[in-house]
Amino acid sequence: RTFSSLPSQATSTSGGSASVGGGGSRERPRPLLPNATLADALLFARICAYAQGLGIIHAANVERGWGIDLARVASIWRGGCIIRAKLLDSIVAALEAEAGKEALPNLLLSAHFCERVAGLQAGARETVVFAIVNQVAAPALSAAVAYFDGMKEGRGGANLLQAQRDF
């Protein structure tokens, strides 16, 4: 979104300006990705975005003792005018399935979404690679893949940063 709000800067660098690192040629046409792969990538990124947002709300809720019901939050979003999405039906169901148990700290830890993103991640990764190779900015999708990978690592980026500080 930031890039599209700065069209004069984007067009002045689109010619491969040396001041922005030059760039490889975009002249070699590459085969396009199948629509199903792109659909998987988009759904993967949306699930990760919801997981991250709900995870932040959950963490603040635990820290501050607000008593927020995440299933209720997702249900309210479902009825809204901006965030309304069919995906929220599955999110509400997954969060309600955890009702009565300790609150789910992250949507990706629910059985439903754990299985779902496992099946979608290949499409997301393939799309990110395609974007990079073809010099197409895809920051949200790249960030979703990085977030997912970070969630899988017991010792990841934060540990690496701490190690660099300690060294």
Side-chain angles (χ1 to χ4, degrees), residues 121-135:
Q121 70 170 315
R125 293 178 191 287
E126 187 177 347
T127 304
V128 168
V129 168
F130 179 87
I132 291 169
V133 166
N134 288 284
Q135 300 177 30

